[in-house]
């Protein structure tokens, strides 16, 4: 076969793939750790990790091995039968500090759908169905998770919104207090808002929401699809805030790129969803679960969380220093290796300069440069990233 070319693949996209993404014209053909290689052989430092998905870097050997071995043995049998990896994965998740049970699915939106269904079913006999959600949140693209997403531009054109969601401002405890009624089933939020602009919850706010929920018989649901799996420095994001939800969703980094999502709920809620009330054909296949088990083992064995704390400080300090040098960087925020630099303009321009210089990063919200590197990023990778970002802003400001 001839070597793959950007022109050939771009033409196929144009003709046969629906245009739902504003893609950069970059064709990656190989990845290793924090590095990506395009069709021309150019190397890139990857601080996007497939949108906070490849948290152990590309093609992590232990995950690759688990996928290869299981793919050759048994891929899928459906949830009408047992498979050896799904309960092992559940046990590994639970053993990281949240006593309960798991439901497996295939994506973040689907994990959040499960949270929403759990809360509605749990509240159904008491007439509690409403879910309080946050402005600037992001919970997915299905109709229910879209209705729960606090950015109206995503909902435009898809009316009517699914009913039952009430929006309040994030980090505003009075707004939650005023929104709770005897119809409220749950409060749902991201401990660190991702797509909305890397906005961490205030610790005191989260603790106060927990207390309000307890007092009013309301469930507290955390969307940890982006901020979970070690991203913020603790295995579950809630652990670094010390505020435990009743149930949480995970997805992005759970399979390091192999698609899998999960809902984890406290044991008290283990029997809310009974046989026949919720399901997923592909949820927790032997292959997906084996991949996720390998991911969790690697996080533990390779002391990934220690590295998150170390490199977080390096990157945050480095970015804060750059914000003194370049006035277009107005601030730095985030938690662990979920980092945002607030700009005075959309991040698109600096992202394009970074790409040309061999680095991939992301935007978030309106004006935020988002860095979500692999969690095993090295000292040298971080030093190189800061150098490239420094050069990119120098070029941007010279324009
Ligand atoms: C990405 C994301 C989702 C949606 O996940 P999909 O796998 O794209 O459905 C939901 N919530 C948060 C916080 C996310 O970052």
């Amino acid at each position: 076969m001839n070597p793959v070319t950007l022109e050939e693949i771009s033409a196929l996209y144009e003709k046969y793939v629906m245009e739902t993404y504003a893609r950069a014209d970059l064709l990656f053909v190989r990845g290793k750790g924090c590095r990506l290689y395009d069709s021309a052989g150019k190397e890139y430092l990857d601080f996007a990790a497939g949108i906070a998905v490849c948290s152990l870097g590309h093609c992590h050997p232990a995950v690759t091995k688990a996928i290869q071995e299981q793919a050759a043995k048994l891929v899928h049998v459906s949830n009408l039968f047992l498979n050896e990896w799904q309960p092992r994965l559940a046990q590994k998740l639970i053993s990281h500090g949240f006593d309960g049970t798991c439901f497996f699915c295939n994506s973040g939106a689907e994990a959040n759908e499960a949270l929403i269904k759990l809360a509605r079913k749990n509240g159904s006999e008491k007439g509690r169905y409403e879910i309080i959600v946050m402005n600037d949140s992001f919970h997915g693209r299905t109709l229910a998770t879209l209705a729960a997403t606090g950015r109206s531009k995503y909902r435009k054109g898809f009316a009517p919104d699914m009913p039952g969601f009430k929006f309040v401002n994030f980090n505003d405890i009075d707004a939650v207090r005023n929104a709770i009624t005897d119809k409220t089933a749950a409060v749902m939020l991201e401990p660190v808002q991702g797509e909305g602009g890397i906005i961490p919850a205030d610790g005191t706010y989260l603790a106060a929401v927990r207390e309000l929920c307890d007092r009013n018989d309301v469930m507290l649901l955390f969307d940890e699809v982006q901020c979970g799996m070690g991203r913020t420095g603790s295995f579950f994001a809630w652990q670094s805030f010390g505020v435990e939800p009743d149930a949480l969703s995970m997805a992005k980094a759970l399979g390091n790129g192999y698609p899998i999502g999960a809902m984890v709920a406290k044991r008290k809620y283990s029997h809310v969803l009974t046989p026949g009330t919720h399901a997923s054909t592909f949820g927790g296949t032997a292959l997906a679960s084996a991949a996720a088990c390998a991911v969790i083992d690697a996080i533990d064995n390779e002391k990934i969380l220690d590295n998150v704390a170390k490199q977080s400080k390096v990157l945050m300090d480095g970015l804060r220093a750059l914000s003194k040098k370049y006035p277009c960087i107005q601030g730095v925020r985030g938690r662990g290796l979920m980092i945002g630099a607030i700009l005075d303009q959309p991040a698109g321009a600096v992202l394009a300069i970074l790409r040309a210089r061999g680095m991939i990063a992301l935007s978030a919200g309106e004006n935020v440069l988002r860095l979500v590197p692999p969690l095993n990023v090295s000292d040298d990778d971080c030093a190189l990233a800061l150098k490239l970002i420094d050069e990119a802003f120098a070029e941007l400001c010279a324009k």
Side-chain angles (χ1 to χ4, degrees):
M1 234 168 73
N2 294 325
V4 63
T5 67
L6 177 62
E7 292 68 30
E8 174 203 347
I9 297 299
S10 284
L12 288 176
Y13 265 107
E14 208 159 297
K15 195 155 176 199
Y16 298 112
V17 181
M18 229 178 253
E19 223 184 313
T20 60
Y21 303 95
R23 290 187 180 88
D25 228 10
L26 254 182
L27 171 61
F28 292 119
V29 293
R30 198 163 61 81
K32 190 166 192 278
C34 279
R35 296 293 189 286
L36 280 169
Y37 301 87
D38 73 9
S39 49
K42 181 174 166 184
E43 182 181 274
Y44 294 80
L45 178 66
D46 184 11
F47 266 47
I51 319 187
V53 165
C54 303
S55 280
L56 296 171
H58 297 283
C59 302
H60 186 280
V63 182
T64 300
K65 182 164 175 278
I67 292 173
Q68 285 176 333
E69 286 182 2
Q70 192 57 38
K73 202 171 164 193
L74 182 67
V75 172
H76 170 89
V77 293
S78 88
N79 283 304
L80 300 174
F81 307 98
L82 316 182
N83 77 63
E84 64 182 294
W85 290 104
Q86 189 179 130
R88 286 187 191 135
L89 173 58
Q91 182 189 33
K92 282 181 199 293
L93 285 170
I94 294 305
S95 75
H96 281 79
F98 193 84
D99 184 38
T101 50
C102 306
F103 171 86
F104 293 103
C105 52
N106 311 284
S107 68
E110 219 186 324
N112 288 331
E113 288 273 346
L115 285 181
I116 293 163
K117 285 184 73 174
L118 179 74
R120 282 202 179 179
K121 183 83 170 19
N122 184 60
S124 60
E125 275 165 23
K126 294 171 269 183
R128 292 180 174 270
Y129 58 85
E130 208 162 62
I131 301 182
I132 297 172
V133 290
M134 304 295 145
N135 288 324
D136 293 320
S137 64
F138 181 83
H139 297 300
R141 300 290 193 157
T142 60
L143 285 170
T145 58
L146 197 59
T149 286
R151 299 183 82 198
S152 55
K153 71 169 190 188
Y154 291 150
R155 294 200 301 275
K156 205 166 161 246
F158 299 105
D161 292 338
M162 183 184 148
F165 296 99
K166 198 188 256 182
F167 286 96
V168 298
N169 281 338
F170 190 46
N171 277 332
D172 180 347
I173 189 64
D174 291 334
V176 179
R177 189 178 296 114
N178 294 333
I180 290 179
T181 69
D182 59 4
K183 299 275 177 283
T184 309
V187 175
M188 178 168 168
L189 59 85
E190 299 154 84
V192 182
Q193 289 189 331
E195 305 299 313
I198 313 293
I199 307 165
D202 297 333
T204 52
Y205 164 77
L206 272 196
V209 174
R210 176 72 271 177
E211 203 184 302
L212 266 180
C213 287
D214 288 341
R215 214 177 316 129
N216 291 282
D217 190 22
V218 165
M219 289 180 78
L220 180 56
L221 311 175
F222 283 176
D223 177 345
E224 297 206 3
V225 169
Q226 188 163 161
C227 62
M229 290 296 287
R231 176 59 57 188
T232 62
S234 50
F235 186 82
F236 294 112
W238 64 262
Q239 288 165 322
S240 69
F241 293 91
V243 176
E244 201 177 23
D246 294 295
L248 63 97
S249 57
M250 319 185 76
K252 285 192 164 82
L254 183 52
N256 204 51
Y258 195 92
I260 179 165
M263 165 170 74
V264 189
K266 276 191 189 159
R267 207 157 283 284
K268 181 179 164 194
Y269 300 98
S270 289
H271 302 289
V272 172
L273 295 172
T274 49
T277 59
H278 196 48
S280 165
T281 297
F282 293 120
T285 63
L287 181 53
S289 302
C293 281
V295 171
I296 295 176
D297 288 346
I299 289 176
D300 294 343
N301 296 339
E302 296 169 26
K303 306 223 175 338
I304 296 288
L305 299 182
D306 295 345
N307 193 57
V308 173
K310 178 182 178 201
Q311 308 302 356
S312 174
K313 184 167 176 5
V314 170
L315 290 171
M316 295 256 199
D317 288 351
L319 286 172
R320 289 206 172 99
L322 292 180
S323 75
K324 299 209 166 66
K325 192 164 162 191
Y326 303 109
C328 58
I329 308 178
Q330 300 187 322
V332 180
R333 68 186 172 208
R335 231 173 152 107
L337 286 176
M338 193 169 171
I339 299 173
I342 308 149
L343 311 182
D344 64 355
Q345 58 184 284
V350 77
L351 289 177
I353 297 173
L354 284 171
R355 274 202 301 276
R357 290 173 176 274
M359 177 172 170
I360 305 297
L362 297 168
S363 63
E366 301 307 324
N367 292 329
V368 177
L369 170 66
R370 166 169 45 161
L371 302 179
V372 283
L375 305 184
N376 50 9
V377 65
S378 71
D379 298 356
D380 287 349
D381 295 332
C382 289
L384 177 59
L386 288 169
K387 176 176 164 278
L388 291 171
I389 293 168
D390 189 346
E391 289 169 6
F393 278 108
E395 184 179 329
L396 186 73
C397 294
K399 276 186 179 160

